[in-house]
Amino acid sequence: MSFPLLTATAALPALGAVATAAVPAARRTAAKWLALLVSVGTLVLAAIQLVRFEPGGARYQLTESHAWIKDFGVRYELGIDGIGVALIGLTALLIPFIIAAGWHDADPLETHSSRWRPTQGFFALILAVEAMVVLSFEATDVFLFYILFEAMLIPMYFLIGGFGDRAHSQGDEAAATQRSYAAVKFLLYNLVGGLIMLAAVIGLYVVAGSFSLDEIASARASGSLHMATGTERLLFLGFFFAFAVKAPLWPLHTWLPNAMGESTAPVAVLITAVVDKVGTFAMLRFCLQLFPEASKWATPVIVVLAVISIIYGALLAVGQRDIKRLVAYASISHFGFIVMGIFAMTSQGQSGATLYMVNHGISTAALMLVAGFLISRRGSRLISDYGGVQKVAPVLAGTFLIGGLATLSLPGLAPFVSEFLVLVGTFSRYPVAGVVATLGIVLAALYVLVLYQRTMTGPVKAEVQGMPDLKVRELLVVAPLIAVLIFLGVYPKPLTDIVNPAVQHTMSDVHKKDPNPAVEAAK
């Protein structure tokens, strides 16, 4: 029997979470190093997946299938396509940097406490989230995916509500209340979406008699499975609603600014760069594959919602006074681009959307983690409390600028490629939506450059005097992310070669072909 690589990639962080939580209270540093080593080991396994994956091979590879709940037809089925392996790679890449960036974020305020182990709990929860996210990208059984989709809310709830920025909220009851509110709002929004999805999952089983993507696809191909139009549309809406909350898509987005604003910077990255990608990934894997006709039926409305997300998120980012909330609203705008690319129903749009998931994760991680280092030095998230930082901390300012330029999709950095593909793919089928969405690029330049100008340039404020530059640990966190942004911005071919075959399968699911060019090439 071959080695279960997919299971091992998810099992390692899960076991690491248990081991980290069990480290004695006095051994906080050991717990940190254990969590970091486990995350690096997971990255190695993800790299092996990438090496063993054959872009031109079968749709789902390295598959595993075992009976789980026989009476209900639930199986433990795993498999990866090009989209899944790319997002597993993103997750495994970011977690070590998230852990390193949050090295001191959960150190106890009272070192004499022998019972409460916040440090061990913080890093154990991060590893638990990683395990569930990785397994959700591998799951090809709908019920298994649903369990993971809901279960990851539990550790995220505790990460948001239990750990806040020490720099500006230490001993502040109001800040603790805001964190609790953000955590509860995150949980309630996603639970409601999950409950609606559960009804749709049950409905799918009643109609199809299976939870397996392969079995449902085979039944469709053979003609033995026919869904009534109304039934398919209702099931699609149940799945899509849950994924739109997780993504998040306007108007289901309001939990994200609160959650990111009240979390530590590493947890904020975990939310928007890792966990939220499960929603957009699931749109590709489940909505389009299980409900192709309903997906095409809903496309015009979804494209409009995506365009609203792009403009709305960017406009609110322009008006923000809080650095973290600015990045949160920018992410809402970026997720609008991703959803628009998925439902443009073109190969360029869907390839661009998948690349956008990866590139947005890396660029947001770079920007938010540097912002977290900045906030920890000054003790404030307010933009107005900064000024002249580049004169006292030039390396910090320089990395902050690169992260910001990646966020506005500057040519030469990775997000530019994905945003360009999304816009080209959308314009070829929905030209009005493509034209309106380009306004998001202009607004992105505005909120990023104004943020940099107000925080990094101008006279040095008294509170900024003496601010230390990035330390070695912080440089080791940020520098590799910037290197990846530059590499994929200049040479995205390794990623597109993996993603494009999977996109062609998705296009085939919905029976769509790219529209012919409006102008014929000169002969």
Side-chain angles (χ1 to χ4, degrees):
M1 187 174 182
S2 60
F3 179 73
L5 179 59
L6 301 189
T7 295
T9 308
L12 179 58
L15 295 174
V18 175
T20 301
V23 174
R27 304 295 298 274
R28 294 192 304 274
T29 302
K32 297 175 185 179
W33 280 106
L34 175 60
L36 183 60
L37 289 174
V38 168
S39 67
V40 172
T42 306
L43 177 59
V44 171
L45 291 177
I48 295 173
Q49 282 191 23
L50 195 60
V51 170
R52 292 186 58 185
F53 182 79
E54 298 177 5
R59 178 169 191 173
Y60 295 114
Q61 301 180 28
L62 305 177
T63 56
E64 302 174 31
S65 181
H66 307 281
W68 183 18
I69 308 175
K70 291 184 178 180
D71 292 342
F72 296 99
V74 180
R75 299 185 63 81
Y76 176 80
E77 282 192 351
L78 307 180
I80 52 171
D81 60 1
I83 299 169
V85 76
L87 293 174
I88 291 169
L90 170 70
T91 303
L93 174 68
L94 291 182
I95 296 299
F97 299 117
I98 289 172
I99 290 174
W103 201 252
H104 300 297
D105 284 359
D107 288 345
L109 299 177
E110 298 180 5
T111 56
H112 64 271
S113 175
S114 60
R115 292 189 301 173
W116 172 235
R117 297 183 288 183
T119 303
Q120 287 86 332
F122 180 75
F123 293 107
L125 290 170
I126 291 175
L127 291 176
V129 172
E130 179 181 23
M132 295 178 193
V133 170
V134 167
L135 202 57
S136 68
F137 290 143
E138 298 171 344
T140 57
D141 182 277
V142 177
F143 190 82
L144 173 62
F145 173 84
Y146 171 76
I147 294 297
L148 297 165
F149 186 82
E150 290 290 86
M152 69 180 68
L153 300 180
I154 299 171
M156 285 307 308
Y157 169 80
F158 288 109
L159 283 169
I160 296 168
F163 302 92
D165 283 345
R166 300 290 180 83
H168 71 277
S169 62
Q170 183 170 330
D172 189 341
E173 292 185 6
T177 301
Q178 291 172 358
R179 287 200 305 274
S180 297
Y181 171 78
V184 170
K185 189 173 183 179
F186 161 83
L187 188 64
L188 289 178
Y189 267 68
N190 284 276
L191 276 178
V192 170
L195 289 173
I196 293 174
M197 180 183 170
L198 176 59
V201 168
I202 295 171
L204 176 67
Y205 182 74
V206 171
V207 173
S210 174
F211 292 116
S212 170
L213 282 177
D214 284 338
E215 291 181 5
I216 295 173
S218 298
R220 277 187 178 279
S222 65
S224 60
L225 173 61
H226 298 280
M227 288 190 193
T229 300
T231 301
E232 181 175 344
R233 289 177 180 179
L234 285 174
L235 295 178
F236 167 85
L237 291 174
F239 277 77
F240 180 79
F241 182 86
F243 303 152
V245 172
K246 182 85 79 177
L249 183 69
W250 184 91
L252 306 171
H253 66 284
T254 59
W255 63 267
L256 183 65
N258 296 97
M260 288 184 65
E262 300 304 324
S263 300
T264 65
V267 172
V269 172
L270 188 65
I271 294 169
T272 191
V274 177
V275 173
D276 287 355
K277 298 303 187 300
V278 176
T280 47
F281 163 80
M283 291 178 189
L284 280 166
R285 172 164 285 188
F286 296 103
C287 285
L288 270 60
Q289 187 171 346
L290 293 173
F291 315 110
E293 297 306 318
S295 297
K296 291 186 285 188
W297 162 75
T299 286
V301 174
I302 295 173
V303 169
V304 170
L305 294 178
V307 172
I308 293 174
S309 287
I310 292 169
I311 306 304
Y312 172 86
L315 283 173
L316 265 66
V318 171
Q320 289 303 305
R321 297 182 298 170
D322 182 309
I323 297 174
K324 284 186 176 181
R325 291 178 72 89
L326 185 152
V327 178
Y329 280 109
S331 291
I332 291 170
S333 181
H334 294 149
F335 275 105
F337 277 108
I338 294 171
V339 175
M340 185 175 72
I342 291 171
F343 284 90
M345 300 295 182
T346 60
S347 58
Q348 298 99 328
Q350 292 187 357
S351 294
T354 305
L355 293 179
Y356 216 131
M357 291 186 228
V358 176
N359 296 335
H360 170 263
I362 300 169
S363 62
T364 299
L367 180 61
M368 179 59 86
L369 292 180
V370 177
F373 298 148
L374 178 67
I375 292 167
S376 67
R377 284 158 165 76
R378 173 66 178 83
S380 174
R381 303 194 317 238
L382 295 178
I383 296 172
S384 59
D385 287 340
Y386 297 89
V389 174
Q390 67 179 12
K391 297 178 182 177
V392 296
V395 177
L396 188 154
T399 53
F400 189 81
L401 178 61
I402 296 174
L405 293 176
T407 299
L408 64 81
S409 299
L410 183 77
L413 296 174
F416 169 77
V417 179
S418 45
E419 194 164 284
F420 178 79
L421 286 173
V422 165
L423 289 171
V424 169
T426 302
F427 186 83
S428 64
R429 200 178 292 278
Y430 301 102
V432 175
V435 169
V436 175
T438 57
L439 180 59
I441 302 174
V442 178
L443 293 173
L446 181 61
Y447 63 69
V448 168
L449 296 178
V450 169
L451 171 65
Y452 183 83
Q453 179 189 36
R454 291 178 177 175
T455 56
M456 302 295 165
T457 65
V460 180
K461 290 197 173 183
E463 297 84 359
V464 175
Q465 289 284 1
M467 177 181 287
D469 213 335
L470 292 183
K471 301 174 183 177
V472 174
R473 172 180 62 85
E474 295 166 335
L475 278 172
L476 291 176
V477 168
V478 178
L481 296 175
I482 292 175
V484 174
L485 286 173
I486 295 172
F487 175 78
L488 291 179
V490 175
Y491 188 63
K493 187 176 183 297
L495 194 53
T496 56
D497 285 347
I498 294 172
V499 166
N500 286 342
V503 166
Q504 293 304 320
H505 284 297
T506 305
M507 292 286 290
S508 176
D509 290 334
V510 292
H511 309 292
K512 281 283 190 178
K513 295 182 179 180
D514 291 330
N516 293 323
V519 179
E520 294 185 2
K523 296 181 180 180

